Amino acid sequence: MFQLLHRINSVSASTWWAVACGLVVGGLVGCDPGPQPAAPRPAAPAPEAPRQTSQVRCDEILKSALEQLEPRSLGITADTDSVIRYLREWTGRCGGRNKTFEVPKSFVDAMTDPERENLGALKYGVRDIEVLREAALFKLVATSITATAKTDAEKVSLVFDHVVRTVAMAPASMGVLPFTAADRYLVGVGSGRDRVMVLAGILRQLRIETLAIEFPVSDDPSNLPTLAGVLLDGELRLYEPTLGEPVRINRRDQSSPVVSLRELLTTPSILESYAGLRGELARLKPEDLAKARLACVGQASLWSQRMQDLQQSIAGVDAVTAAEFLADSELGPGLLSRVAKAGGDGFAAEKVVPWSYVSGLIPKRDRPDEVQQRQLYFLTGAWAAPFNVGQDENGQPKLGTPTRAFLRLRLALASGGAEEALAAFPSEVILPCRALRMMSLPDEVRFQAEDAANESSYWMALCQFDRGAMRVAVDGCDRYLRAARQAMLVSVLQTAGADVPRQKIAALETAFEEAFRLPGDKSLAQVLEAATQVVLGRPANDAQRRTLVFLEGVYRRIGAMQLLKAKALAAQNDREAALKTLQSVPVTDAAAVEAAALRSVWTDAPEAKTPEKEDGTPASKTDEQPAVEKPPEKAAAENAAEGEKAEKKDDTD
């Protein structure tokens, strides 16, 4: 893999996007390469009067459409155009039999022009398919992770924790990418706002409404402090998406109830518990709380009359939720009235707006710029892997079709097929991808294979955590971290420009272990570069620096893996080991914000009693005193000195 690291960044954005569209995404995100000449738009036809069709035939048409939205076919066999044709046929033959309700004018006025056009469209389109796909996927996710919950509050707690683990925080440098909520869930990386979007999508399938609560404290609408507000028992309960925890009066008391929006507005002192943390509430002052704004999470399709009609036709206990009814009607108060009442004094239904973050993603989804195209490929390239490989007439490897085994197994995990995915990831993805990276194939294909193998290891560890197999999860995290460390060590040695004595190789390996264990306040690449300079006795060269930075991106789950490992250790009541692991999260890593939040809670909270073996000795802790931590640079210098001593001894011998 290391020979392609420096060439891979030279591939043009158009090439990346061609691979992503042709081999990877398969309908999950848009593949329009850029602006196209606008075709004349015909006048909207008058709605057809539904033809008389038997209910049996109507159900058959609808079933044919919905079957193609089965989550395991996303991006693999699903045909968006076919689904749209079925739904349009259903509308022409069977639509209009259900009562629909208007969307309040104040809500429509707050929409963007494209969203208003989508809201009023008479025919089903791509945006509707996105909503239905998301609903189908999140229905299975919600059912799987809340199977043991007895109350709505328990369901929300389980879903929120699951979203926080699944959607790891992305670095700010990644920017805003035009993923749908379902894409974000499958990719497993995003911002705090992306977590709110995914949380709302999953809870919608449990018929629990979630709002984005924004605080307009600056002139930049793209960077406003945002909380998730979940409607429970007539109150909007608050969740901090960036820190990954519920909002509590005393956040160090994890048994205290989740704060409501009403309580936050009347008790500004709650903010004191969040001072010093790099979360959403830490950005607020007491006077900012009065600026809170309620926003519905979704795109216009959710509130359209065509989706209301469809929703009533698939109604039932097990049906997906693909529409929301905003206005008051003879059926009862609409969503806007309910959430406004839950917000407390100062909120009104006509002040609830659609969330601009979601609507702002849609144009970018259709026509991402070159930077976004590159990032999209970087995050979704693994979905096509591994590839079938044959031989050409000269006996050389010839690239065949993508198997999309990684995407299929990722979808299996999301759909409750943990056993299948855990059994198949090693044989169907990891081993074939490790073999592909050694073949003479295009650089981007070898990168996809390497990334798929790494991502498979990550999702397996996360799955074991979700299943309660904490020791197995810890082992999985350690394997990923060892692989990342070894890859970086080998790359530094291969680009050293000269043979490195074996004593210095051993010293460098130890120095890298120290850097991974205690990176300090620098990026991991910077710490490893400094350790390389100390051990080898000369500054790192350009090739070594570029390679370390690139591999830090390739193994982008390092911080998330350390965080997951810490949580697994804490779940085994090994708080001391968990706190040490949190120190291994680089301060510059996106996971550092959550790591700091957990550290502040675990440091002050009493540790649970350690389980005992039958002979009465601790099951997972020892009586050893913790070693004094040394900065990686100092440890590297000491290791280098030891290596030089060993070299002199060898020369003497």
Side-chain angles (χ1 to χ4, degrees), residues 529-547:
E529 180 187 339
T532 299
Q533 178 175 342
V534 171
V535 173
L536 299 185
R538 59 180 182 271
N541 58 44
D542 289 343
Q544 289 171 325
R545 282 192 291 270
R546 288 197 302 268
T547 300

Side-chain angles (χ1 to χ4, degrees), residues 131-146:
V131 170
L132 287 167
R133 279 178 168 162
E134 175 186 310
L137 175 65
F138 286 161
K139 180 66 177 181
L140 291 179
V141 173
T143 301
S144 175
I145 63 182
T146 62

